[in-house]
Amino acid sequence: MAGRVTVVGFGPGDKGDMTGRAVTAIERADIVAGYTTYIRILEAQFPGKKYKATGMMKEVDRCRMAIEDAQQGLDVAMVSSGDSGIYGMAGIIYQLRAEMKADIDVDVVPGVTAASAAAAVLGAPLMHDTAFISLSDLMTPLERIMKRVDCAGQGDFIVCLYNPKSKGRPGYLAQAADILLKYRAPTTPVGIVRDAGRPDMTKTLTTLEELKGADVDMFCTVVIGNSQTYTADGLMITPRGYPVRNG
Ligand code: SAH
């Protein structure tokens, strides 16, 4: 019997932010596979499962193993944080299934992505058109990343930065901020949420001008407002355009 790989986005971390489908897929799986950090989060919430944890940068090997296990008839949950289809494992699983000519079922279970988890904490910053941009240049040339930042600036998109800063590339966030400052006021609101939906969550409200000096790492999502975004009562709000007096 053909097995299956369910590519599960389990949300930002807390079980309360997981969808019912994600919980079902993890509970019924023979094997739960994923990056070690994510497996640690799930082990606490789903004790007694069989887990296969692999380190960072082993994505292709991990997905290959999951498909091989499914070829043996097993039900594998391949987990990603947030949404498995947004900088997650869904794409590579489909690519490998084709390459390996594997006769298995693949399902993608969507989840609450970091941008929506962060937005809910910040107020209502994503009420208008938004660009998700990852600042990781591990697989994307830096030039293309910065071109996209520039286009988002020109288009007055709200910008959600994933993978905003790491030790290996400390300057990219400042570079992105400088590009956006060509189009946007220095006072443009910026929200930074670290560990959204996890016990150690922190949030910071700052401005585009101050972003360069802000404390940001890989556990943060950075939300940069558009030209209409404002802050009030510690919240970051982008008006949708409804005719209300204060918005
Ligand atoms: N598939 C994930 C994104 C993986 S890329 C999703 O849909 O959310 C990894 C990046 O996501 C991190 O560098 C960070 O920018 C963001 N991220 C993931 N989990 C987060 C969390 N709990 N809080 C804030 N940002 C998070």
Side-chain angles (χ1 to χ4, degrees), residues 52 71 148 159 179 216 244:
K52 265 195 188 176
Q71 283 175 311
R148 287 175 181 170
V159 176
I179 292 171
V216 173
V244 287

Side-chain angles (χ1 to χ4, degrees), residues 177-199:
D178 279 335
I179 292 171
L180 292 172
L181 279 166
K182 292 195 292 178
Y183 306 101
R184 256 167 243 192
T187 51
T188 303
V190 172
I192 301 166
V193 182
R194 175 183 287 111
D195 284 328
R198 297 179 188 163

Side-chain angles (χ1 to χ4, degrees), residues 125-136:
L126 306 187
M127 287 293 110
H128 225 292
D129 302 339
T130 301
F132 291 179
I133 301 177
S134 164
L135 291 190
S136 167

Side-chain angles (χ1 to χ4, degrees), residues 91-115:
I92 179 82
I93 287 285
Y94 279 124
Q95 286 176 282
L96 282 174
R97 179 174 70 165
E99 188 222 276
M100 294 165 71
K101 298 188 173 46
D103 182 19
I104 59 160
D105 293 327
V106 172
D107 258 340
V108 176
V109 174
V112 175
T113 191

Side-chain angles (χ1 to χ4, degrees), residues 30-159:
D30 299 308
I31 298 175
V32 181
Y35 172 44
T36 313
T37 309
Y38 298 156
I39 294 294
R40 296 256 153 76
I41 293 175
L42 292 179
E43 271 172 341
Q45 298 173 13
F46 299 90
K49 299 294 305 179
K50 183 172 179 199
Y51 289 98
K52 265 195 188 176
T54 37
M56 190 93 123
M57 308 301 297
K58 296 265 186 214
E59 284 86 0
V60 178
D61 294 345
R62 184 193 309 146
C63 290
R64 226 178 253 288
M65 271 192 312
I67 291 174
E68 283 164 4
D69 285 336
Q71 283 175 311
Q72 303 300 314
L74 295 175
D75 183 330
V76 184
M78 165 60 66
V79 296
S80 300
S81 78
D83 188 307
S84 54
I86 299 178
Y87 311 120
M89 293 291 123
I92 179 82
I93 287 285
Y94 279 124
Q95 286 176 282
L96 282 174
R97 179 174 70 165
E99 188 222 276
M100 294 165 71
K101 298 188 173 46
D103 182 19
I104 59 160
D105 293 327
V106 172
D107 258 340
V108 176
V109 174
V112 175
T113 191
S116 23
V121 170
L122 292 168
L126 306 187
M127 287 293 110
H128 225 292
D129 302 339
T130 301
F132 291 179
I133 301 177
S134 164
L135 291 190
S136 167
D137 66 345
L138 286 176
M139 284 174 289
T140 308
L142 183 60
E143 200 185 323
R144 191 182 305 161
I145 295 172
M146 292 305 164
K147 181 171 181 192
R148 287 175 181 170
V149 172
D150 195 283
C151 289
Q154 281 184 52
D156 197 26
F157 284 86
I158 300 150
V159 176

Side-chain angles (χ1 to χ4, degrees), residues 225-245:
N226 69 11
S227 58
Q228 309 302 305
T229 306
Y230 63 93
T231 53
D233 302 325
L235 299 171
M236 182 174 172
I237 297 162
T238 304
R240 172 78 177 86
Y242 296 112
V244 287
R245 243 197 306 259

